[in-house]
Amino acid sequence: MFDYVIVGAGFSGAVLAERLARVRNRKVLIVEKRGHIAGNAYDRYDDKGLMIHQYGPHIFHTRVKYVWDYLSEFTDWHLYHHHVLGSIDGRQVPIPFNLNTLRALLPAELADKLEQKLVLTFGYNVKVPILKLRETDDEDLRWLADFVYEKIFLHYTTKQWGMKPEDLDPTVTGRVPVYISKDDRYFQDAFQGIPKQGYTAMFERMLDHPNIKLLLNTDYREVLQTDWSRNEFKLFGSPYAGKLIFTGKIDELFDYEYGELPYRSLRFDFQTLDQERFQNTGTVNYPNEYDFTRITEFKHLTGQKHSYTTIVREFPQAYEKNQAGQNIPYYPIPQPHNQSLYEKYRDKAKAFERLVLLGRLAEYKYYDMDACVAKALKVFEQLS
Ligand code: FAD
Ligand code: UDP
């Protein structure tokens, strides 16, 4: 009956379902354990009628035009360029650390000298990861690197991940590099925005096709049995000869055979306030104060007009798969030994040609939304 079973209705699963159903006329069953589509990009109106992102603020940004064009088939955009301020030494200054941040935090003469050295050493409009900047030989730049590391990265990262920046893959802090520029935006990608009616509405349009059946509130194990030793699947109790696209946790798929992959989780604290505005930008980061990392005010992102406003604070926490409130694996933890463990699972998966692993959890990769879309479109081209 079904050519494809897709586990998970987030970006990875939904893009592939849409393409297979619409372009290849394949019959697709999506099995999603949550009560809604859109995965971690799910948004909804709260009790006061304010649009919120239930699993944390999601800003779409990409350099890749075909990814933007593809999603634009299902949504119009509220064109929005994200700005983040960091609360540092009692001031709110631009993040990523840039030439404006330098001037805001340091005396003019010192800022002049450091700006000149930065531009002469690295060039203008260049991004330098903090761990790279710390390797510099120049004494003044080394001082600056330590200053930025201490004020912006060390304590935020310790809260977010429970470890220091240098204990994680450098690409993690490299996401927010020191930017030798006066561009205060968080992302410089050519295409940026928030779906005009929201992410969930965009996903509804993607999945609205007679070839797509959606089972919500269903863990895949309730309907699909996998016998890896015999390379056999059963769907609703009957042999299933089709393909399985899996976007859940790869360690779960193989019953934790080689042990658990670690993830980082979050607790979100939403607050609706009887005031039009709470803060001056979409997000304010708090590297050195409080137990939360950042506060986001959704109205900046969505452009919604409302006399109230809703904000969310993000409290990082350990992931525990059997502990309600801590059991959503928001982030894979990029470290070499975790990557090695992931690769053991991935190598095992290679033996099963009917199995495709896709997305943040199945590939154990710190993907942004656009990367999930690009990967799903690429995989689609390889499928029959
Ligand atoms: P998911 O969205 O996690 O979807 C996987 C789905 O599979 C889930 O719905 C899950 O319920 C389901 N599933 C899992 N196991 C099972 C099972 N056993 N049975 C059935 N269903 C199952 N990206 C950006 O580009 N910009 C941002 O601003 C941004 N902000 C973020 C903020 C936060 C706090 C977080 C955590 C992530 C953010 N991201 C952002 C990343 C973005 O959320 C991911 O790139 C994207 O959602 C991944 O899509 P996915 O389909 O791979 O995974
Ligand atoms: N980071 C930091 N201070 C900041 C912002 C980011 O130390 O003010 C580090 C931190 O380790 C974080 C990583 O950079 O986890 C990536 O930040 P990003 O905003 O991309 O994280 P995400 O939005 O994916 O949670």
Side-chain angles (χ1 to χ4, degrees):
M1 219 166 87
F2 293 105
D3 303 303
Y4 286 89
V5 172
I6 298 185
V7 175
F11 265 98
S12 305
V15 170
L16 211 46
E18 186 281 328
R19 289 287 84 185
L20 288 165
R22 209 163 262 126
V23 182
R24 298 261 164 82
N25 197 25
R26 296 286 183 256
K27 301 262 184 284
V28 179
L29 173 68
I30 304 182
V31 187
E32 167 57 60
K33 71 177 176 188
R34 290 169 172 169
H36 59 73
I37 56 174
N40 284 342
Y42 174 66
D43 56 9
R44 65 176 175 88
Y45 288 100
D46 66 11
D47 292 345
K48 272 271 180 265
L50 285 144
M51 178 61 99
I52 59 161
H53 298 174
Q54 180 141 321
Y55 304 100
H58 278 68
I59 298 103
F60 190 84
H61 58 98
T62 191
R63 287 178 290 148
V64 186
K65 185 162 177 352
Y66 69 80
V67 166
W68 179 259
D69 288 345
Y70 168 74
L71 291 178
S72 302
E73 290 179 38
F74 308 99
T75 189
D76 294 327
W77 298 93
H78 168 61
L79 296 178
Y80 166 76
H81 289 237
H82 195 43
H83 284 80
V84 175
L85 294 173
S87 171
I88 312 286
D89 292 346
R91 284 192 223 161
Q92 295 201 342
V93 298
I95 304 276
F97 187 96
N98 65 20
L99 297 178
N100 296 327
T101 323
L102 183 71
R103 296 209 167 269
L105 290 177
L106 297 173
E109 213 173 302
L110 180 57
D112 280 344
K113 179 168 136 190
L114 290 169
E115 173 171 339
Q116 228 197 346
K117 281 206 169 182
L118 280 170
V119 173
L120 288 174
T121 310
F122 298 101
Y124 188 78
N125 204 25
V126 169
K127 294 180 175 178
V128 187
I130 185 62
L131 296 178
K132 191 100 207 126
L133 191 61
R134 292 191 93 206
E135 289 169 7
T136 175
D137 295 332
D138 184 280
E139 212 175 287
D140 295 329
L141 290 184
R142 179 65 209 234
W143 177 87
L144 177 67
D146 288 347
F147 175 80
V148 174
Y149 175 84
E150 163 69 25
K151 298 282 180 192
I152 294 179
F153 288 95
L154 177 60
H155 306 292
Y156 187 111
T157 303
T158 304
K159 269 194 268 188
Q160 173 72 8
W161 299 96
M163 59 188 92
K164 290 184 177 164
E166 54 272 30
D167 296 331
L168 285 154
D169 190 282
T171 54
V172 175
T173 44
R175 289 168 60 89
V176 188
V178 168
Y179 189 22
I180 306 171
S181 157
K182 291 182 179 161
D183 180 348
D184 281 340
R185 294 172 305 160
Y186 206 59
F187 310 110
Q188 276 67 44
D189 293 337
F191 305 98
Q192 306 190 27
I194 309 282
K196 217 168 206 163
Q197 281 86 35
Y199 290 96
T200 309
M202 178 178 80
F203 275 72
E204 277 165 5
R205 284 181 219 116
M206 289 167 76
L207 300 179
D208 180 18
H209 193 281
N211 284 344
I212 300 177
K213 295 279 173 286
L214 179 64
L215 260 185
L216 292 177
N217 295 306
T218 310
D219 193 296
Y220 82 94
R221 287 165 297 194
E222 295 171 42
V223 298
L224 184 87
Q225 279 74 53
T226 51
D227 182 340
W228 300 113
S229 61
R230 301 157 91 155
N231 194 8
E232 283 174 6
F233 300 148
K234 276 191 177 160
L235 184 63
F236 302 115
S238 302
Y240 169 67
K243 290 207 158 107
L244 171 62
I245 314 274
F246 189 78
T247 75
K249 284 171 29 176
I250 186 171
D251 50 348
E252 176 185 279
L253 180 68
F254 292 118
D255 300 316
Y256 306 102
E257 184 180 340
Y258 305 127
E260 283 187 40
L261 279 163
Y263 301 87
R264 192 74 174 154
S265 196
L266 294 170
R267 178 171 67 79
F268 295 106
D269 182 25
F270 290 87
Q271 209 180 351
T272 301
L273 304 164
D274 183 2
Q275 62 197 65
E276 272 207 59
R277 272 273 177 258
F278 175 76
Q279 61 190 27
N280 293 330
T281 48
T283 298
V284 178
N285 287 0
Y286 292 87
N288 309 314
E289 303 147 81
Y290 309 114
D291 291 339
F292 54 85
T293 49
R294 55 188 178 188
I295 301 181
T296 297
E297 182 175 16
F298 291 104
K299 279 166 73 181
H300 285 282
L301 279 54
T302 58
Q304 189 177 6
K305 303 271 177 281
H306 201 293
S307 57
Y308 283 64
T309 193
T310 298
I311 59 171
V312 65
R313 292 181 172 83
E314 297 176 46
F315 292 84
Q317 58 179 1
Y319 166 76
E320 298 286 348
K321 71 179 186 332
N322 298 319
Q323 190 72 46
Q326 280 181 248
N327 59 358
I328 302 185
Y330 285 108
Y331 297 87
I333 303 180
Q335 286 180 301
H337 50 281
N338 298 340
Q339 181 62 21
S340 305
L341 179 54
Y342 159 72
E343 284 169 11
K344 273 178 91 171
Y345 283 113
R346 186 202 56 193
D347 290 347
K348 177 173 172 115
K350 279 185 185 153
F352 306 102
E353 76 288 348
R354 288 191 294 144
L355 171 66
V356 177
L357 300 169
L358 201 60
R360 224 187 208 213
L361 300 173
E363 295 181 70
Y364 201 70
K365 214 163 172 189
Y366 196 162
Y367 275 141
D368 282 329
M369 294 181 278
D370 67 321
C372 292
V373 176
K375 184 73 193 282
L377 292 175
K378 186 171 157 208
V379 166
F380 166 70
E381 293 302 332
Q382 293 155 0
L383 292 172
S384 50

